[in-house]
């Protein structure tokens, strides 16, 4: 019997101003992509830790 993965904290919807065009953008945990100009902030600027590939239920070798 396998142990289910530990759940991650729920995502927080955050809001900011696009650094490319000034439009208001919304994202998850401080990670943004602007639909107006295409600007995207760096993944490390987010406010929560990203899950590891090994945490994915479809990761190769995981049962």
């Amino acid at each position: 019997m396998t142990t289910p993965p530990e759940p991650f904290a729920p995502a927080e919807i955050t809001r900011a101003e696009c650094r490319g065009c000034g439009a208001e953008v919304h994202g998850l945990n401080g990670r943004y992509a602007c639909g107006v100009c295409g600007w995207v902030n760096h993944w490390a600027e987010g406010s929560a830790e990203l899950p590891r590939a090994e945490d994915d239920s479809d990761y190769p070798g995981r049962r």
Side-chain angles (χ1 to χ4, degrees), residues 8-28:
F8 285 92
E12 177 186 356
I13 297 175
T14 53
R15 177 177 50 197
E17 185 176 297
C18 173
R19 294 182 206 153
C21 69
E24 183 175 298
V25 292
H26 298 252
L28 296 176

Side-chain angles (χ1 to χ4, degrees), residues 6 13 20 22 26 41 44 53 62:
E6 290 189 30
I13 297 175
H26 298 252
N41 71 328
R62 183 174 177 159

